[in-house]
Amino acid sequence: MSRNIPNQPGVDSRHLHTQLRNLRKIFDNAIEEVLGNRRALDRFLSSYWRENRQFGSRDRRLFSESLFAFFRFYGWLTRLITAEEQQALTAGSSRNLSGKTVGTLLAGAWVLENLPPEPAHHILTGELSLPRIPDPEKLFDPAQEWRLQRFANWVQKLTGQPFEHPPWELLQSFWSREFLQEMPDKAAYFRSLAVRPPLWLRVQNSPVDSVIKELSGAGLSVRKHRTMPKALAITAGSVNLYTLPTYREGRIEVQDLASQVIANVCAPRPGERWWDCCAGAGGKTLALAELMQRTGKVVAGDIRSYKLEDLKKRARRSAFPNIECRPWDGNKVPPRRSSKFDGILIDAPCSCSGVWRRNPDGRWNTSPEEVREINLVQFKVLENVLNALRPNGVLIYATCSAFEMENAAVIRDFLARHSEFELESFANPLTGELCSGMLQITGAAENCDSMFVARLRKKS
């Protein structure tokens, strides 16, 4: 076996073979859970690490990166296997696939993800007679065709035949492509699915430049957004962010750029009273409280009490005095609580299709039936909060979805039934351009998640 192992000191061939066996095991388990049982990949991995504490950080990184790359490029990789093998994967069963088939899928995913090959890959490619995984490209534009060309070259070495470039839209399931909202550049959207967006941070309680200096000193490359100076993208570097003083002291929060845009569209004023009725862990709640200059009150509601417990910890860390957590079961607000709020943010439950760059398994384990079911919940939530809004109050409807039926279609239906509301124009925080009341953020242009937001005013 030593002929397949790179000449590196300290490389143990037995460990590498064990590592590859474990990779195959976790791959089979992931296929069953993600495609068979429709479980989110990140949740599967979290529970897998808890149940298998023998894996060190290097193994966990190899397994995680391999699986996320596989699901990111699933629509291209399945072109390398037979129709029968594709059917087995779709059904959530990979245990009967040959070692070479699984090895081809994982090696191809590593090529497409542009990751440097590890010692285990040399055994994988050597024993299965696969082409060598090339070293990563140093400089590239992630939206360009180099990724397809690189993959095609690798496949041609594998098969001995020219490989036709697969179209970008195959990186998303067919039915979900039909659900997409109209976009200025759908081609750019599909190309963006090949690359995970950077980690975005929001600065609070601190000068932006001093935060950038501290993060840079910790070994991170930081880029400030051109129109939203408190939004910082981490473009390079590796550090446990949660151990840094800037995080522990509540001076930064992890929050995607698109999510920060939604808080800015709310535009709450100091002293107002707002309700973030589907707050989750509270990223937007914290942003609203900051925009209100720590005055007034932001009431955070959610049906999941454990999420609100997380928010309480985050609010204490940042010493926000104007946040109150109050569970909400999603039912209609009773008359005794009517006209309580100047603004209501509905960050509605949705398909999460707008974050499929980060969670690529969702492209393949979400069904159209699920989207239709959650669409009914969106209509219900909208109706059930209305009593709580004061006359002349602001209603914000937002999703992390890229689907028409969850976004603009919901607002059109709502306005047709509620003449007391009207769309209110606002400046797009990303560009400064005036929006007519609805904004679809597509992650391709800003290298972030895709989200939707609408701003409505209740007539006095």
Side-chain angles (χ1 to χ4, degrees), residues 16 87 90 99-100 120 205 225 231 249 258 262 268 299 348 384 447 457:
L16 296 180
Q87 290 173 0
T90 302
K100 184 161 187 177
N205 310 331
H225 191 269
E249 296 167 5
I262 289 172
V299 177
N384 287 351
N447 206 7
R457 177 76 67 173

Coordinates of all heavy atoms in Angstrom, one line a residue, residues 16 87 90 99-100 120 205 225 231 249 258 262 268 299 348 384 447 457:
L16 N -4.9 5.6 7.6 CA -5.5 6.2 6.3 C -6.5 5.2 5.8 O -7.6 5.6 5.3 CB -4.4 6.5 5.3 CG -3.4 7.6 5.6 CD1 -2.4 7.8 4.5 CD2 -4.1 8.9 6.0
Q87 N -30.9 5.9 -9.2 CA -32.2 5.6 -8.5 C -31.9 5.1 -7.1 O -32.7 5.5 -6.1 CB -32.9 4.5 -9.3 CG -33.5 4.9 -10.6 CD -34.1 3.8 -11.4 OE1 -34.0 2.6 -11.0 NE2 -34.6 4.1 -12.6
T90 N -31.2 8.3 -5.0 CA -32.4 9.0 -4.8 C -33.3 8.4 -3.7 O -34.0 9.1 -3.0 CB -33.2 9.1 -6.1 OG1 -32.4 9.8 -7.1 CG2 -34.5 10.0 -5.9
G99 N -17.3 0.1 -4.4 CA -16.4 1.0 -3.9 C -15.9 2.0 -4.9 O -15.7 3.2 -4.6
K100 N -15.8 1.6 -6.1 CA -15.3 2.5 -7.2 C -16.3 3.5 -7.5 O -16.0 4.7 -7.7 CB -15.0 1.7 -8.5 CG -14.4 2.6 -9.5 CD -13.6 1.9 -10.6 CE -12.9 2.8 -11.5 NZ -12.1 2.2 -12.5
A120 N -5.2 10.6 2.5 CA -6.2 9.5 2.2 C -6.6 9.5 0.8 O -7.0 8.4 0.3 CB -7.4 9.7 3.2
N205 N -22.1 47.9 19.0 CA -21.5 48.4 20.3 C -20.0 48.7 20.2 O -19.3 48.6 21.2 CB -21.7 47.4 21.4 CG -23.1 46.9 21.6 OD1 -24.0 47.6 21.3 ND2 -23.2 45.7 22.1
H225 N -18.5 45.8 3.8 CA -19.4 46.0 2.6 C -19.4 47.5 2.2 O -19.3 48.4 3.1 CB -20.8 45.5 3.0 CG -21.8 45.5 1.8 ND1 -22.5 46.6 1.5 CD2 -22.0 44.5 1.0 CE1 -23.2 46.2 0.4 NE2 -22.9 45.0 0.1
A231 N -21.4 45.6 8.1 CA -21.4 44.2 7.6 C -20.0 43.9 7.2 O -19.5 44.5 6.3 CB -22.4 44.1 6.5
E249 N -17.5 39.6 24.0 CA -17.9 40.9 24.6 C -19.1 41.4 23.8 O -19.5 42.6 24.1 CB -16.7 41.8 24.5 CG -15.6 41.4 25.4 CD -14.3 42.2 25.1 OE1 -14.4 43.2 24.3 OE2 -13.2 41.9 25.7
A258 N -27.7 39.3 3.8 CA -29.1 39.4 3.4 C -30.0 39.6 4.7 O -31.0 40.3 4.6 CB -29.5 38.2 2.6
I262 N -32.6 42.8 5.8 CA -34.0 42.8 6.3 C -34.2 43.7 7.5 O -35.2 44.4 7.6 CB -34.4 41.3 6.5 CG1 -34.5 40.6 5.2 CG2 -35.7 41.3 7.3 CD1 -34.7 39.1 5.3
P268 N -36.6 50.5 12.2 CA -37.3 50.9 13.4 C -36.6 52.2 13.9 O -35.4 52.5 13.8 CB -37.0 49.8 14.3 CG -35.7 49.2 13.9 CD -35.7 49.4 12.4
V299 N -39.9 42.9 21.2 CA -40.4 41.6 21.8 C -40.1 40.5 20.8 O -40.5 40.6 19.6 CB -41.9 41.7 22.1 CG1 -42.5 40.4 22.6 CG2 -42.2 42.9 23.1
A348 N -40.9 34.7 8.2 CA -41.8 33.6 8.1 C -41.1 32.2 8.0 O -40.0 32.1 7.3 CB -42.8 33.8 7.0
N384 N -52.6 36.1 11.5 CA -52.8 36.0 12.9 C -52.1 37.1 13.7 O -52.3 37.2 14.9 CB -52.3 34.6 13.4 CG -53.2 33.5 13.1 OD1 -54.3 33.7 12.6 ND2 -52.8 32.3 13.3
N447 N -22.7 37.9 -2.9 CA -22.1 36.8 -2.3 C -22.6 36.5 -0.9 O -21.9 36.5 0.1 CB -20.6 37.0 -2.2 CG -19.8 35.6 -2.2 OD1 -20.4 34.6 -2.4 ND2 -18.5 35.7 -2.0
R457 N -47.5 49.2 4.9 CA -48.0 50.2 5.9 C -49.5 50.0 6.1 O -50.2 49.9 5.2 CB -47.7 51.6 5.4 CG -48.2 52.7 6.4 CD -47.3 52.9 7.6 NE -46.0 53.4 7.2 CZ -45.1 53.8 8.1 NH1 -45.3 53.7 9.4 NH2 -43.9 54.2 7.8

